[in-house]
């Protein structure tokens, strides 16, 4: 795990990931770099980790300081060690359905759906948000399971009309309480990916939970819904990376 600078949210995320590794017996290293670290210095570290045989997964915590190009850093991580599944090679594999790793949040969403006994096949699925980290891969994962998928975003017209048709609604826009009860179909499965801090420090999602809970067939809370699943899927990707890398050498971990 590599963290650059002192972003408080990033520090919390890295600590939670380290804790999960400890609980599972996964060896982890943290590289906490100052905010003034140059792009060249960070690239040099990534390259060292790419060739470190006892490290199977590399995670560079985002966001990075503005003087460092995130795309350049992501592209420098070996696709075999890209446990966040942000590298273009892994993104391309997700598109065609022949993937080793899935971005951790969409993977966590799918795990919640599966464990709840909910079938995606034939369902109207609406994803609100089109980020490379959540929205786009989430849509592909639902599509791979034969859902009929609509992606909505800031330029979508008549948003409420579209979300109200959703059997499965995934909210990933980063706006507190953005999805309100009048945007939800009765009995819908609502999955809230948002993590927003209100002025009073309260943590809320993108969905108005209190209002929407009365209508939903199933709904995830914030905090405590998708967040823990994201970390669990990171651990799963790391174990899979270790197995794949060791299998290449002719032995399993």
């Amino acid at each position: 795990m590599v963290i650059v600078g002192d972003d408080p949210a990033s520090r919390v995320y890295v600590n939670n990931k380290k804790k999960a590794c400890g609980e599972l017996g996964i060896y982890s290293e943290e590289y906490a770099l100052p905010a003034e670290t140059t792009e060249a210095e960070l690239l040099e570290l990534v390259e060292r980790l790419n060739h470190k045989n006892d490290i199977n997964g590399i995670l560079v915590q985002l966001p990075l300081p503005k003087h460092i190009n995130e795309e350049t850093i992501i592209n420098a991580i070996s696709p075999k060690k890209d446990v966040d599944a942000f590298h273009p090679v892994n993104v391309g594999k997700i598109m065609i359905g022949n993937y080793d790793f899935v971005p951790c949040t969409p993977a966590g969403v799918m795990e919640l759906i599966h464990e709840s006994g909910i079938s995606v096949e034939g369902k109207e699925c609406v994803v609100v948000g089109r980020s490379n980290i959540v929205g786009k891969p989430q849509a592909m994962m639902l599509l791979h399971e034969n859902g009929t998928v609509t992606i909505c975003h800031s330029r979508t017209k008549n948003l409420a009309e579209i979300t109200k048709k959703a059997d499965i609604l995934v909210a990933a826009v980063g706006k507190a309480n953005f999805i309100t009860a009048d945007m939800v179909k009765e009995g819908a499965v609502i999955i809230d990916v948002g993590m927003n801090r209100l002025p009073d420090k309260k943590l809320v999602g993108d969905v108005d939970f209190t209002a929407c809970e009365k209508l939903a067939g199933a709904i995830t809370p914030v905090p405590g819904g998708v967040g823990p699943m994201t970390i669990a899927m990171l651990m799963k990707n790391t174990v899979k990376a270790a197995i794949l890398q060791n299998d290449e050498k002719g032995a399993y971990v």
Side-chain angles (χ1 to χ4, degrees):
M1 286 166 277
V2 181
I3 179 170
V4 185
D6 52 5
D7 180 76
S10 291
R11 171 43 63 194
V12 170
Y13 294 146
V14 167
N15 286 349
N16 287 342
K17 291 163 186 174
K18 280 170 63 180
K19 183 182 175 187
C21 285
E23 288 173 353
L24 293 174
I26 295 175
Y27 170 74
S28 68
E29 294 179 353
E30 180 191 310
Y31 296 83
L33 308 178
E36 58 270 19
T37 299
T38 66
E39 186 176 289
E41 288 170 334
L42 183 53
L43 283 169
E44 185 184 341
L45 172 59
V46 168
E47 191 58 24
R48 282 208 320 272
L49 295 172
N50 280 340
H51 291 94
K52 211 166 185 281
N53 289 333
D54 61 342
I55 294 294
N56 300 111
I58 301 169
L59 183 153
V60 177
Q61 185 64 47
L62 304 179
L64 291 168
K66 287 186 168 51
H67 65 277
I68 298 176
N69 186 304
E70 290 184 356
E71 186 178 351
T72 301
I73 302 304
I74 289 167
N75 290 354
I77 297 170
S78 166
K80 295 175 183 177
K81 295 189 177 187
D82 171 37
V83 287
D84 264 332
F86 294 163
H87 192 284
V89 166
N90 289 324
V91 172
K93 286 184 172 184
I94 292 163
M95 285 293 293
I96 61 175
N98 179 26
Y99 47 84
D100 296 316
F101 311 118
V102 180
C104 303
T105 298
V109 169
M110 298 311 296
E111 198 74 22
L112 284 169
I113 289 171
H114 299 154
E115 287 295 317
S116 301
I118 296 160
S119 172
V120 174
E121 186 164 346
K123 300 283 177 61
E124 289 283 345
C125 305
V126 175
V127 179
V128 186
R130 54 177 167 179
S131 74
N132 292 332
I133 293 172
V134 180
K136 290 176 187 175
Q138 186 67 73
M140 292 311 303
M141 297 309 295
L142 292 164
L143 189 61
H144 288 324
E145 296 198 12
N146 301 314
T148 301
V149 184
T150 303
I151 304 175
C152 298
H153 45 79
S154 58
R155 304 293 175 87
T156 299
K157 295 179 180 177
N158 305 317
L159 177 64
E161 289 180 22
I162 298 169
T163 58
K164 210 169 175 64
K165 294 176 183 175
D167 301 307
I168 299 173
L169 175 63
V170 181
V173 287
K175 293 183 179 178
N177 300 319
F178 181 77
I179 302 293
T180 51
D182 61 326
M183 300 169 72
V184 173
K185 175 182 179 180
E186 189 167 354
V189 174
I190 305 173
I191 299 171
D192 193 348
V193 178
M195 292 276 279
N196 310 289
R197 189 79 63 178
L198 296 178
D200 63 2
K201 305 296 182 187
K202 185 182 178 185
L203 196 63
V204 299
D206 290 349
V207 176
D208 182 348
F209 183 88
T210 305
C212 293
E213 184 186 20
K214 296 165 187 166
L215 287 168
I219 187 169
T220 63
V222 176
V226 175
M229 293 303 302
T230 297
I231 294 175
M233 294 303 103
L234 174 65
M235 299 298 106
K236 186 176 181 180
N237 279 352
T238 303
V239 170
K240 187 169 186 182
I243 291 170
L244 290 171
Q245 288 164 47
N246 280 274
D247 191 31
E248 284 179 2
K249 299 168 194 169
Y252 280 94
V253 287

